PDB file of all heavy atoms in Angstrom:
ATOM      1  N   GLY A 284     102.758 125.222  74.844  1.00  0.00           N
ATOM      2  CA  GLY A 284     102.174 126.584  74.906  1.00  0.00           C
ATOM      3  C   GLY A 284     101.165 126.764  73.809  1.00  0.00           C
ATOM      4  O   GLY A 284     100.935 125.891  72.967  1.00  0.00           O
ATOM      5  N   HIS A 285     100.562 128.011  73.819  1.00  0.00           N
ATOM      6  CA  HIS A 285      99.604 128.259  72.763  1.00  0.00           C
ATOM      7  C   HIS A 285     100.279 128.447  71.411  1.00  0.00           C
ATOM      8  O   HIS A 285      99.816 127.959  70.395  1.00  0.00           O
ATOM      9  CB  HIS A 285      98.835 129.625  73.118  1.00  0.00           C
ATOM     10  CG  HIS A 285      97.720 129.925  72.183  1.00  0.00           C
ATOM     11  ND1 HIS A 285      96.562 129.209  72.111  1.00  0.00           N
ATOM     12  CD2 HIS A 285      97.634 130.911  71.302  1.00  0.00           C
ATOM     13  CE1 HIS A 285      95.821 129.709  71.195  1.00  0.00           C
ATOM     14  NE2 HIS A 285      96.389 130.795  70.684  1.00  0.00           N
ATOM     15  N   SER A 286     101.442 129.061  71.395  1.00  0.00           N
ATOM     16  CA  SER A 286     102.220 129.168  70.233  1.00  0.00           C
ATOM     17  C   SER A 286     103.195 128.035  70.140  1.00  0.00           C
ATOM     18  O   SER A 286     102.947 126.987  70.773  1.00  0.00           O
ATOM     19  CB  SER A 286     102.934 130.475  70.163  1.00  0.00           C
ATOM     20  OG  SER A 286     104.001 130.471  71.225  1.00  0.00           O
ATOM     21  N   ASP A 287     104.372 128.180  69.519  1.00  0.00           N
ATOM     22  CA  ASP A 287     105.353 127.062  69.548  1.00  0.00           C
ATOM     23  C   ASP A 287     106.071 127.151  70.864  1.00  0.00           C
ATOM     24  O   ASP A 287     106.951 126.294  71.054  1.00  0.00           O
ATOM     25  CB  ASP A 287     106.306 127.137  68.377  1.00  0.00           C
ATOM     26  CG  ASP A 287     107.169 128.468  68.355  1.00  0.00           C
ATOM     27  OD1 ASP A 287     107.191 129.203  69.421  1.00  0.00           O
ATOM     28  OD2 ASP A 287     107.897 128.696  67.430  1.00  0.00           O
ATOM     29  N   ALA A 288     105.804 127.980  71.802  1.00  0.00           N
ATOM     30  CA  ALA A 288     106.389 127.983  73.189  1.00  0.00           C
ATOM     31  C   ALA A 288     107.846 128.275  73.287  1.00  0.00           C
ATOM     32  O   ALA A 288     108.549 127.854  74.180  1.00  0.00           O
ATOM     33  CB  ALA A 288     105.954 126.736  73.961  1.00  0.00           C
ATOM     34  N   ASP A 289     108.439 129.014  72.301  1.00  0.00           N
ATOM     35  CA  ASP A 289     109.871 129.233  72.254  1.00  0.00           C
ATOM     36  C   ASP A 289     110.212 130.264  73.286  1.00  0.00           C
ATOM     37  O   ASP A 289     109.970 131.486  73.085  1.00  0.00           O
ATOM     38  CB  ASP A 289     110.283 129.697  70.876  1.00  0.00           C
ATOM     39  CG  ASP A 289     111.756 129.905  70.682  1.00  0.00           C
ATOM     40  OD1 ASP A 289     112.397 130.333  71.674  1.00  0.00           O
ATOM     41  OD2 ASP A 289     112.268 129.699  69.582  1.00  0.00           O
ATOM     42  N   VAL A 290     110.588 129.842  74.579  1.00  0.00           N
ATOM     43  CA  VAL A 290     110.739 130.753  75.684  1.00  0.00           C
ATOM     44  C   VAL A 290     111.750 131.830  75.404  1.00  0.00           C
ATOM     45  O   VAL A 290     111.657 132.981  75.880  1.00  0.00           O
ATOM     46  CB  VAL A 290     111.095 129.967  76.954  1.00  0.00           C
ATOM     47  CG1 VAL A 290     109.907 129.088  77.420  1.00  0.00           C
ATOM     48  CG2 VAL A 290     112.406 129.160  76.821  1.00  0.00           C
ATOM     49  N   LEU A 291     112.777 131.518  74.610  1.00  0.00           N
ATOM     50  CA  LEU A 291     113.815 132.582  74.317  1.00  0.00           C
ATOM     51  C   LEU A 291     113.260 133.666  73.480  1.00  0.00           C
ATOM     52  O   LEU A 291     113.316 134.918  73.827  1.00  0.00           O
ATOM     53  CB  LEU A 291     115.125 131.928  73.717  1.00  0.00           C
ATOM     54  CG  LEU A 291     116.167 133.043  73.442  1.00  0.00           C
ATOM     55  CD1 LEU A 291     116.655 133.789  74.675  1.00  0.00           C
ATOM     56  CD2 LEU A 291     117.297 132.319  72.682  1.00  0.00           C
ATOM     57  N   LEU A 292     112.559 133.321  72.456  1.00  0.00           N
ATOM     58  CA  LEU A 292     112.021 134.339  71.570  1.00  0.00           C
ATOM     59  C   LEU A 292     110.884 135.150  72.280  1.00  0.00           C
ATOM     60  O   LEU A 292     110.800 136.302  72.015  1.00  0.00           O
ATOM     61  CB  LEU A 292     111.479 133.708  70.238  1.00  0.00           C
ATOM     62  CG  LEU A 292     112.609 133.150  69.255  1.00  0.00           C
ATOM     63  CD1 LEU A 292     111.990 132.896  67.985  1.00  0.00           C
ATOM     64  CD2 LEU A 292     113.747 134.126  69.124  1.00  0.00           C
ATOM     65  N   HIS A 293     110.166 134.413  73.128  1.00  0.00           N
ATOM     66  CA  HIS A 293     109.147 135.110  73.852  1.00  0.00           C
ATOM     67  C   HIS A 293     109.708 136.182  74.817  1.00  0.00           C
ATOM     68  O   HIS A 293     109.200 137.304  74.875  1.00  0.00           O
ATOM     69  CB  HIS A 293     108.304 134.140  74.684  1.00  0.00           C
ATOM     70  CG  HIS A 293     107.431 133.260  73.854  1.00  0.00           C
ATOM     71  ND1 HIS A 293     106.511 132.418  74.387  1.00  0.00           N
ATOM     72  CD2 HIS A 293     107.287 133.137  72.460  1.00  0.00           C
ATOM     73  CE1 HIS A 293     105.868 131.747  73.381  1.00  0.00           C
ATOM     74  NE2 HIS A 293     106.313 132.240  72.198  1.00  0.00           N
ATOM     75  N   ALA A 294     110.791 135.819  75.453  1.00  0.00           N
ATOM     76  CA  ALA A 294     111.405 136.716  76.374  1.00  0.00           C
ATOM     77  C   ALA A 294     112.021 137.979  75.636  1.00  0.00           C
ATOM     78  O   ALA A 294     111.883 139.098  76.053  1.00  0.00           O
ATOM     79  CB  ALA A 294     112.555 136.042  77.208  1.00  0.00           C
ATOM     80  N   ILE A 295     112.676 137.690  74.507  1.00  0.00           N
ATOM     81  CA  ILE A 295     113.208 138.788  73.741  1.00  0.00           C
ATOM     82  C   ILE A 295     112.095 139.751  73.191  1.00  0.00           C
ATOM     83  O   ILE A 295     112.192 140.904  73.209  1.00  0.00           O
ATOM     84  CB  ILE A 295     114.026 138.254  72.595  1.00  0.00           C
ATOM     85  CG1 ILE A 295     115.339 137.638  73.119  1.00  0.00           C
ATOM     86  CG2 ILE A 295     114.436 139.277  71.599  1.00  0.00           C
ATOM     87  CD1 ILE A 295     116.167 136.860  72.144  1.00  0.00           C
ATOM     88  N   THR A 296     111.027 139.084  72.657  1.00  0.00           N
ATOM     89  CA  THR A 296     109.911 139.859  72.119  1.00  0.00           C
ATOM     90  C   THR A 296     109.329 140.778  73.203  1.00  0.00           C
ATOM     91  O   THR A 296     109.088 141.947  72.983  1.00  0.00           O
ATOM     92  CB  THR A 296     108.816 138.849  71.507  1.00  0.00           C
ATOM     93  OG1 THR A 296     109.466 138.061  70.427  1.00  0.00           O
ATOM     94  CG2 THR A 296     107.645 139.595  70.995  1.00  0.00           C
ATOM     95  N   GLU A 297     109.045 140.176  74.397  1.00  0.00           N
ATOM     96  CA  GLU A 297     108.422 140.884  75.437  1.00  0.00           C
ATOM     97  C   GLU A 297     109.356 142.028  75.995  1.00  0.00           C
ATOM     98  O   GLU A 297     108.835 143.081  76.421  1.00  0.00           O
ATOM     99  CB  GLU A 297     107.945 139.934  76.528  1.00  0.00           C
ATOM    100  CG  GLU A 297     107.070 140.764  77.538  1.00  0.00           C
ATOM    101  CD  GLU A 297     106.314 139.805  78.445  1.00  0.00           C
ATOM    102  OE1 GLU A 297     106.969 139.228  79.326  1.00  0.00           O
ATOM    103  OE2 GLU A 297     105.069 139.633  78.326  1.00  0.00           O
ATOM    104  N   ALA A 298     110.619 141.728  75.987  1.00  0.00           N
ATOM    105  CA  ALA A 298     111.623 142.738  76.490  1.00  0.00           C
ATOM    106  C   ALA A 298     111.535 143.936  75.536  1.00  0.00           C
ATOM    107  O   ALA A 298     111.658 145.166  75.974  1.00  0.00           O
ATOM    108  CB  ALA A 298     112.975 142.138  76.576  1.00  0.00           C
ATOM    109  N   ILE A 299     111.472 143.793  74.230  1.00  0.00           N
ATOM    110  CA  ILE A 299     111.338 144.849  73.333  1.00  0.00           C
ATOM    111  C   ILE A 299     109.979 145.622  73.563  1.00  0.00           C
ATOM    112  O   ILE A 299     109.942 146.896  73.533  1.00  0.00           O
ATOM    113  CB  ILE A 299     111.430 144.335  71.764  1.00  0.00           C
ATOM    114  CG1 ILE A 299     112.833 143.746  71.497  1.00  0.00           C
ATOM    115  CG2 ILE A 299     111.081 145.490  70.839  1.00  0.00           C
ATOM    116  CD1 ILE A 299     112.865 143.008  70.300  1.00  0.00           C
ATOM    117  N   ILE A 300     108.959 144.893  73.728  1.00  0.00           N
ATOM    118  CA  ILE A 300     107.622 145.500  74.017  1.00  0.00           C
ATOM    119  C   ILE A 300     107.696 146.371  75.278  1.00  0.00           C
ATOM    120  O   ILE A 300     107.243 147.517  75.382  1.00  0.00           O
ATOM    121  CB  ILE A 300     106.554 144.442  74.114  1.00  0.00           C
ATOM    122  CG1 ILE A 300     106.277 143.707  72.740  1.00  0.00           C
ATOM    123  CG2 ILE A 300     105.228 145.091  74.681  1.00  0.00           C
ATOM    124  CD1 ILE A 300     105.466 142.488  72.900  1.00  0.00           C
ATOM    125  N   GLY A 301     108.359 145.847  76.309  1.00  0.00           N
ATOM    126  CA  GLY A 301     108.555 146.472  77.555  1.00  0.00           C
ATOM    127  C   GLY A 301     109.380 147.803  77.381  1.00  0.00           C
ATOM    128  O   GLY A 301     109.027 148.735  78.035  1.00  0.00           O
ATOM    129  N   ALA A 302     110.419 147.652  76.682  1.00  0.00           N
ATOM    130  CA  ALA A 302     111.366 148.874  76.494  1.00  0.00           C
ATOM    131  C   ALA A 302     110.466 149.989  75.841  1.00  0.00           C
ATOM    132  O   ALA A 302     110.800 151.185  76.070  1.00  0.00           O
ATOM    133  CB  ALA A 302     112.596 148.522  75.624  1.00  0.00           C
ATOM    134  N   MET A 303     109.523 149.669  74.997  1.00  0.00           N
ATOM    135  CA  MET A 303     108.678 150.724  74.408  1.00  0.00           C
ATOM    136  C   MET A 303     107.523 151.125  75.239  1.00  0.00           C
ATOM    137  O   MET A 303     106.711 151.945  74.856  1.00  0.00           O
ATOM    138  CB  MET A 303     108.241 150.218  73.017  1.00  0.00           C
ATOM    139  CG  MET A 303     109.297 149.901  71.986  1.00  0.00           C
ATOM    140  SD  MET A 303     108.542 149.485  70.418  1.00  0.00           S
ATOM    141  CE  MET A 303     107.842 147.945  70.679  1.00  0.00           C
ATOM    142  N   ALA A 304     107.374 150.516  76.473  1.00  0.00           N
ATOM    143  CA  ALA A 304     106.258 150.794  77.339  1.00  0.00           C
ATOM    144  C   ALA A 304     104.956 150.521  76.696  1.00  0.00           C
ATOM    145  O   ALA A 304     103.984 151.265  76.843  1.00  0.00           O
ATOM    146  CB  ALA A 304     106.392 152.204  77.891  1.00  0.00           C
ATOM    147  N   MET A 305     104.875 149.357  75.986  1.00  0.00           N
ATOM    148  CA  MET A 305     103.656 149.041  75.298  1.00  0.00           C
ATOM    149  C   MET A 305     102.991 147.733  75.847  1.00  0.00           C
ATOM    150  O   MET A 305     102.308 146.998  75.122  1.00  0.00           O
ATOM    151  CB  MET A 305     103.972 148.855  73.793  1.00  0.00           C
ATOM    152  CG  MET A 305     104.322 150.114  73.084  1.00  0.00           C
ATOM    153  SD  MET A 305     104.481 149.791  71.291  1.00  0.00           S
ATOM    154  CE  MET A 305     104.568 151.513  70.763  1.00  0.00           C
ATOM    155  N   GLY A 306     103.195 147.474  77.123  1.00  0.00           N
ATOM    156  CA  GLY A 306     102.551 146.310  77.708  1.00  0.00           C
ATOM    157  C   GLY A 306     103.373 145.060  77.651  1.00  0.00           C
ATOM    158  O   GLY A 306     104.571 145.082  77.930  1.00  0.00           O
ATOM    159  N   ASP A 307     102.733 143.936  77.354  1.00  0.00           N
ATOM    160  CA  ASP A 307     103.420 142.641  77.324  1.00  0.00           C
ATOM    161  C   ASP A 307     103.029 141.857  76.072  1.00  0.00           C
ATOM    162  O   ASP A 307     102.185 142.283  75.209  1.00  0.00           O
ATOM    163  CB  ASP A 307     103.089 141.868  78.573  1.00  0.00           C
ATOM    164  CG  ASP A 307     101.530 141.646  78.770  1.00  0.00           C
ATOM    165  OD1 ASP A 307     100.848 141.480  77.788  1.00  0.00           O
ATOM    166  OD2 ASP A 307     101.151 141.522  79.931  1.00  0.00           O
ATOM    167  N   ILE A 308     103.607 140.657  75.937  1.00  0.00           N
ATOM    168  CA  ILE A 308     103.396 139.836  74.788  1.00  0.00           C
ATOM    169  C   ILE A 308     101.979 139.417  74.607  1.00  0.00           C
ATOM    170  O   ILE A 308     101.452 139.271  73.548  1.00  0.00           O
ATOM    171  CB  ILE A 308     104.437 138.581  74.743  1.00  0.00           C
ATOM    172  CG1 ILE A 308     104.568 138.013  73.346  1.00  0.00           C
ATOM    173  CG2 ILE A 308     104.046 137.624  75.852  1.00  0.00           C
ATOM    174  CD1 ILE A 308     105.617 137.040  73.217  1.00  0.00           C
ATOM    175  N   GLY A 309     101.321 139.211  75.767  1.00  0.00           N
ATOM    176  CA  GLY A 309      99.908 138.803  75.718  1.00  0.00           C
ATOM    177  C   GLY A 309      98.969 139.898  75.206  1.00  0.00           C
ATOM    178  O   GLY A 309      97.885 139.653  74.582  1.00  0.00           O
ATOM    179  N   HIS A 310      99.408 141.180  75.335  1.00  0.00           N
ATOM    180  CA  HIS A 310      98.606 142.322  74.797  1.00  0.00           C
ATOM    181  C   HIS A 310      98.613 142.228  73.188  1.00  0.00           C
ATOM    182  O   HIS A 310      97.684 142.419  72.580  1.00  0.00           O
ATOM    183  CB  HIS A 310      99.178 143.609  75.270  1.00  0.00           C
ATOM    184  CG  HIS A 310      98.632 144.807  74.665  1.00  0.00           C
ATOM    185  ND1 HIS A 310      97.358 145.311  74.949  1.00  0.00           N
ATOM    186  CD2 HIS A 310      99.140 145.640  73.671  1.00  0.00           C
ATOM    187  CE1 HIS A 310      97.079 146.387  74.281  1.00  0.00           C
ATOM    188  NE2 HIS A 310      98.163 146.564  73.438  1.00  0.00           N
ATOM    189  N   PHE A 311      99.852 141.918  72.747  1.00  0.00           N
ATOM    190  CA  PHE A 311      99.984 141.864  71.232  1.00  0.00           C
ATOM    191  C   PHE A 311      99.469 140.661  70.695  1.00  0.00           C
ATOM    192  O   PHE A 311      98.951 140.672  69.631  1.00  0.00           O
ATOM    193  CB  PHE A 311     101.500 141.989  70.935  1.00  0.00           C
ATOM    194  CG  PHE A 311     102.060 143.414  70.841  1.00  0.00           C
ATOM    195  CD1 PHE A 311     102.324 144.122  72.083  1.00  0.00           C
ATOM    196  CD2 PHE A 311     102.221 144.062  69.654  1.00  0.00           C
ATOM    197  CE1 PHE A 311     102.796 145.432  72.050  1.00  0.00           C
ATOM    198  CE2 PHE A 311     102.697 145.314  69.576  1.00  0.00           C
ATOM    199  CZ  PHE A 311     102.993 146.080  70.791  1.00  0.00           C
ATOM    200  N   PHE A 312      99.690 139.488  71.380  1.00  0.00           N
ATOM    201  CA  PHE A 312      99.389 138.179  70.853  1.00  0.00           C
ATOM    202  C   PHE A 312      98.571 137.380  71.871  1.00  0.00           C
ATOM    203  O   PHE A 312      99.172 136.445  72.509  1.00  0.00           O
ATOM    204  CB  PHE A 312     100.671 137.402  70.424  1.00  0.00           C
ATOM    205  CG  PHE A 312     101.618 138.246  69.578  1.00  0.00           C
ATOM    206  CD1 PHE A 312     102.760 138.758  70.144  1.00  0.00           C
ATOM    207  CD2 PHE A 312     101.258 138.565  68.313  1.00  0.00           C
ATOM    208  CE1 PHE A 312     103.627 139.533  69.382  1.00  0.00           C
ATOM    209  CE2 PHE A 312     102.138 139.353  67.533  1.00  0.00           C
ATOM    210  CZ  PHE A 312     103.378 139.891  68.058  1.00  0.00           C
ATOM    211  N   PRO A 313      97.318 137.605  72.091  1.00  0.00           N
ATOM    212  CA  PRO A 313      96.562 136.977  73.183  1.00  0.00           C
ATOM    213  C   PRO A 313      96.485 135.544  72.987  1.00  0.00           C
ATOM    214  O   PRO A 313      96.327 134.941  71.867  1.00  0.00           O
ATOM    215  CB  PRO A 313      95.105 137.569  73.000  1.00  0.00           C
ATOM    216  CG  PRO A 313      95.225 138.738  72.156  1.00  0.00           C
ATOM    217  CD  PRO A 313      96.515 138.585  71.308  1.00  0.00           C
ATOM    218  N   ASP A 314      96.661 134.743  74.138  1.00  0.00           N
ATOM    219  CA  ASP A 314      96.651 133.287  73.926  1.00  0.00           C
ATOM    220  C   ASP A 314      95.288 132.748  73.836  1.00  0.00           C
ATOM    221  O   ASP A 314      95.062 131.501  73.668  1.00  0.00           O
ATOM    222  CB  ASP A 314      97.389 132.633  75.136  1.00  0.00           C
ATOM    223  CG  ASP A 314      96.719 132.904  76.459  1.00  0.00           C
ATOM    224  OD1 ASP A 314      95.629 133.509  76.488  1.00  0.00           O
ATOM    225  OD2 ASP A 314      97.220 132.451  77.494  1.00  0.00           O
ATOM    226  N   ASN A 315      94.228 133.514  73.776  1.00  0.00           N
ATOM    227  CA  ASN A 315      92.853 133.103  73.421  1.00  0.00           C
ATOM    228  C   ASN A 315      92.472 133.361  72.016  1.00  0.00           C
ATOM    229  O   ASN A 315      91.261 133.085  71.615  1.00  0.00           O
ATOM    230  CB  ASN A 315      91.857 133.667  74.415  1.00  0.00           C
ATOM    231  CG  ASN A 315      91.822 135.199  74.425  1.00  0.00           C
ATOM    232  OD1 ASN A 315      92.549 135.816  73.642  1.00  0.00           O
ATOM    233  ND2 ASN A 315      90.946 135.773  75.241  1.00  0.00           N
ATOM    234  N   ASP A 316      93.408 133.856  71.235  1.00  0.00           N
ATOM    235  CA  ASP A 316      93.181 134.143  69.845  1.00  0.00           C
ATOM    236  C   ASP A 316      93.625 132.939  68.971  1.00  0.00           C
ATOM    237  O   ASP A 316      94.808 132.615  68.986  1.00  0.00           O
ATOM    238  CB  ASP A 316      93.956 135.429  69.389  1.00  0.00           C
ATOM    239  CG  ASP A 316      93.578 135.878  68.053  1.00  0.00           C
ATOM    240  OD1 ASP A 316      93.125 135.003  67.187  1.00  0.00           O
ATOM    241  OD2 ASP A 316      93.712 137.079  67.776  1.00  0.00           O
ATOM    242  N   PRO A 317      92.678 132.277  68.286  1.00  0.00           N
ATOM    243  CA  PRO A 317      92.980 131.074  67.573  1.00  0.00           C
ATOM    244  C   PRO A 317      94.123 131.259  66.502  1.00  0.00           C
ATOM    245  O   PRO A 317      94.816 130.340  66.055  1.00  0.00           O
ATOM    246  CB  PRO A 317      91.742 130.580  67.012  1.00  0.00           C
ATOM    247  CG  PRO A 317      90.644 131.571  67.317  1.00  0.00           C
ATOM    248  CD  PRO A 317      91.295 132.595  68.274  1.00  0.00           C
ATOM    249  N   LYS A 318      94.234 132.554  65.953  1.00  0.00           N
ATOM    250  CA  LYS A 318      95.278 132.616  64.926  1.00  0.00           C
ATOM    251  C   LYS A 318      96.585 132.553  65.424  1.00  0.00           C
ATOM    252  O   LYS A 318      97.605 132.326  64.632  1.00  0.00           O
ATOM    253  CB  LYS A 318      95.082 134.039  64.228  1.00  0.00           C
ATOM    254  CG  LYS A 318      95.543 135.244  64.926  1.00  0.00           C
ATOM    255  CD  LYS A 318      95.264 136.520  64.083  1.00  0.00           C
ATOM    256  CE  LYS A 318      95.663 137.808  64.759  1.00  0.00           C
ATOM    257  NZ  LYS A 318      95.388 138.917  63.956  1.00  0.00           N
TER     258      LYS A 318
END
């Protein structure tokens, strides 16, 4: 993956984002951002 591809942490992170109705993990951490 673009990051370390930790599927579990990605799912947890995005579930929190979703519960706050703030989009998805790609909104916060775009996979086209080199950082």
Side-chain angles (χ1 to χ4, degrees):
H285 185 69
S286 67
D287 65 8
D289 187 324
V290 292
L291 180 61
L292 293 189
H293 290 183
I295 291 170
T296 300
E297 189 168 72
I299 294 166
I300 293 167
M303 295 186 295
M305 292 186 172
D307 59 30
I308 197 167
H310 172 77
F311 277 78
F312 313 107
D314 65 4
N315 59 0
D316 189 332
K318 76 178 177 182

